[in-house]
């Protein structure tokens, strides 16, 4: 019997502190008009001093567990995608495990920057299909406000904080759940999007650095290829997809991919205007928003895609 990885729930949250473009214009040489025109971003949310990636993630995970109507004691795998862990170690996944009171299980972090949630779908799907887990909790969380270079106006206006969580369960239902994953990385481009330091490089956390135009040049091509390959792998025609849930980095990238693949704009979920780029939480926040608006429903065919530092990129096709 073939095992399927069913996405039982997917929920997301932001911190409460809303930061408008105009507020940022008070601290760096920028303007609401420039940010909106070049990125589509109008606002984002930042953690308070008391919040961390694990506290945000725990809030999102509680919602996902409740929505999936599952007992937290039955979770046997926690995968947390983050580039902004609370601590260098232990894994943020174990902090979330403790906060939720989940008994002994498998728990670890993965690091694929903005592609983290899509990579997480791949990791959880593989572990479920290998029989290593039955009830998984996948989390994507980042608090990039903590690693922003406030002297660099080209990056500090782009990012926000947030968390998303999905309960993914093993099932014998066919043609449902995670249908295909495509995951890619090309380390030759690690220098165009990175953090300046880290535990072993300089014993410091470091600040985010991005050569925006260089990253932009790869985005449309890489993401489009991943979408096409993912559809081929699942044996699905791109026209059959109900919703595209892209990583929310820049509205111009989303428009570029839609144009290249002739995807009708009403099928593309766009929330970069309200969340900014929330890295590993981004696709979960976009999905959650569309779900609350009544757009995405059970039975829909949904394509998630992302590209981030590494460079990493990928796509996942899910029948809800
Ligand atoms: N406010 C005002 N002016 C600015 C700002 C700002 N915040 N930032 C840059 N500028 C200026 C520049 O100095 C430049 O001025 P100049 O022409 O006098 O030299 C001008 O605006 C144009 O700058 P560009 O860098 O050419 O702007 P661009 O149109 O490329 O937009 C951006 C920059 C938004 C970063 C874009 O390149 C982008 O979105 N890149 C891709 C980001 C991405 O996809 N990231 C992937 C995931 S992120 C992750 O994994 C962590």
């Amino acid at each position: 019997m073939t095992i399927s990885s069913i996405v039982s729930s997917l929920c997301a949250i932001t911190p409460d502190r809303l930061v408008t473009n105009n507020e940022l214009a008070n601290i760096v040489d920028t303007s609401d008009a420039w940010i909106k025109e070049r990125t589509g971003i109008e606002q984002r949310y930042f953690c308070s001093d008391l919040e961390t990636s694990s506290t945000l993630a725990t809030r999102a995970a509680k919602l996902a567990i409740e929505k999936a109507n599952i007992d937290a004691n039955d979770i046997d795998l926690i995968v947390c995608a983050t580039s902004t862990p609370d601590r260098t170690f232990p894994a943020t996944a174990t902090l979330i495990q403790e906060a939720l009171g989940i008994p002994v299980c498998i728990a670890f972090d993965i690091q694929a920057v903005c592609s983290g949630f899509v990579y997480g779908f791949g990791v959880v799907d593989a572990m479920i299909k290998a029989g290593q887990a039955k009830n998984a909790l996948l989390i994507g969380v980042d608090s990039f406000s903590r690693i922003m270079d406030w002297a660099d106006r080209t990056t500090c206006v782009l990012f926000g904080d947030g968390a998303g969580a999905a309960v993914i369960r093993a099932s014998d239902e066919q043609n449902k759940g995670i249908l295909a994953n495509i995951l890619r990385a090309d380390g030759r481009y690690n220098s165009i999007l990175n953090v300046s330091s880290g535990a072993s490089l300089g014993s410091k956390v470091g600040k985010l650095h991005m050569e925006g135009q260089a990253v932009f040049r790869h985005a449309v091509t890489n993401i489009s290829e991943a979408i096409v390959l993912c559809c081929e792998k699942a044996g699905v025609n791109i026209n059959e997809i109900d919703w595209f849930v892209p990583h929310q980095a820049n509205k111009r990238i989303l428009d570029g991919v839609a144009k290249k693949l002739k995807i009708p704009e009403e099928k593309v979920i766009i929330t970069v205007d309200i969340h900014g780029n929330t890295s590993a939480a981004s696709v979960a926040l976009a999905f959650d928003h569309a779900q609350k608006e009544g757009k995405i429903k059970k039975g829909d065919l949904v394509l998630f895609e992302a590209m981030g530092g590494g460079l990493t990129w990928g796509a996942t096709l899910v029948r809800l």
Side-chain angles (χ1 to χ4, degrees):
M1 182 187 62
T2 317
I3 302 174
S4 300
S5 306
I6 304 291
V7 179
S8 299
S9 63
L10 208 179
C11 301
I13 57 103
T14 60
D16 293 335
R17 192 177 154 224
L18 188 154
V19 180
T20 62
N21 291 345
N22 282 327
E23 203 177 328
L24 291 181
N26 291 328
I27 49 173
V28 282
D29 180 15
T30 190
S31 66
D32 178 48
W34 189 95
I35 302 171
K36 271 193 209 151
E37 189 201 317
R38 298 293 177 124
T39 70
I41 298 168
E42 296 180 15
Q43 59 172 52
R44 74 289 290 141
Y45 296 85
F46 288 165
C47 287
S48 69
D49 291 344
L50 296 177
E51 286 170 310
T52 64
S53 288
S54 76
T55 66
L56 294 185
T58 301
R59 281 177 53 207
K62 277 184 182 160
L63 293 176
I65 289 168
E66 196 183 315
K67 187 156 192 193
N69 201 16
I70 183 181
D71 186 339
N73 291 318
D74 292 333
I75 289 170
D76 51 8
L77 169 66
I78 306 171
V79 175
C80 177
T82 187
S83 312
T84 44
D86 286 21
R87 301 169 185 273
T88 300
F89 75 80
T92 303
T94 62
L95 306 181
I96 299 161
Q97 179 188 19
E98 187 202 18
L100 294 172
I102 295 173
V104 174
C105 68
I106 308 171
F108 60 92
D109 289 359
I110 58 170
Q111 226 286 35
V113 201
C114 298
S115 313
F117 210 85
V118 171
Y119 262 63
F121 274 134
V123 170
V124 167
D125 185 42
M127 290 188 72
I128 285 178
K129 286 176 178 159
Q132 295 202 55
K134 285 194 165 64
N135 298 303
L137 182 61
L138 169 62
I139 288 157
V141 60
D142 268 311
S143 43
F144 270 30
S145 62
R146 300 282 206 258
I147 54 165
M148 236 96 95
D149 180 352
W150 295 107
D152 177 10
R153 68 176 181 170
T154 67
T155 54
C156 73
V157 301
L158 304 175
F159 297 91
D161 301 338
V167 170
I168 305 177
R169 306 172 78 166
S171 164
D172 54 12
E173 288 176 84
Q174 299 303 297
N175 301 317
K176 224 188 140 190
I178 299 176
L179 303 180
N181 298 289
I182 293 291
L183 304 178
R184 296 283 185 268
D186 190 341
R188 287 176 299 169
Y189 300 108
N190 73 78
S191 65
I192 61 174
L193 177 48
N194 62 22
V195 171
S196 57
S197 190
S200 78
L201 186 63
S203 305
K204 289 193 198 106
V205 174
K207 300 274 181 225
L208 189 146
H209 156 84
M210 179 167 72
E211 293 163 34
Q213 282 193 358
V215 176
F216 202 114
R217 276 197 286 276
H218 292 279
V220 175
T221 313
N222 288 353
I223 290 167
S224 303
E225 264 175 30
I227 293 174
V228 170
L229 290 172
C230 197
C231 289
E232 276 172 20
K233 198 170 173 187
V236 161
N237 188 303
I238 199 162
N239 302 324
E240 294 173 51
I241 295 171
D242 296 300
W243 300 106
F244 291 81
V245 182
H247 170 49
Q248 309 286 317
N250 187 320
K251 170 89 166 51
R252 285 153 56 205
I253 296 174
L254 308 188
D255 292 344
V257 172
K259 193 170 166 207
K260 191 171 168 127
L261 298 181
K262 299 189 175 57
I263 298 166
E265 65 179 40
E266 57 275 16
K267 283 189 172 185
V268 183
I269 305 301
I270 295 181
T271 56
V272 68
D273 52 336
I274 52 171
H275 299 138
N277 179 346
T278 55
S279 187
S282 164
V283 293
L285 274 165
F287 179 97
D288 183 70
H289 188 78
Q291 186 172 243
K292 284 178 179 148
E293 279 192 320
K295 287 182 174 168
I296 300 181
K297 293 189 261 332
K298 257 204 154 15
D300 285 352
L301 190 56
V302 181
L303 188 128
F304 297 85
E305 52 88 341
M307 190 185 95
L311 294 175
T312 56
W313 66 98
T316 301
L317 193 59
V318 177
R319 171 74 70 188
L320 291 173

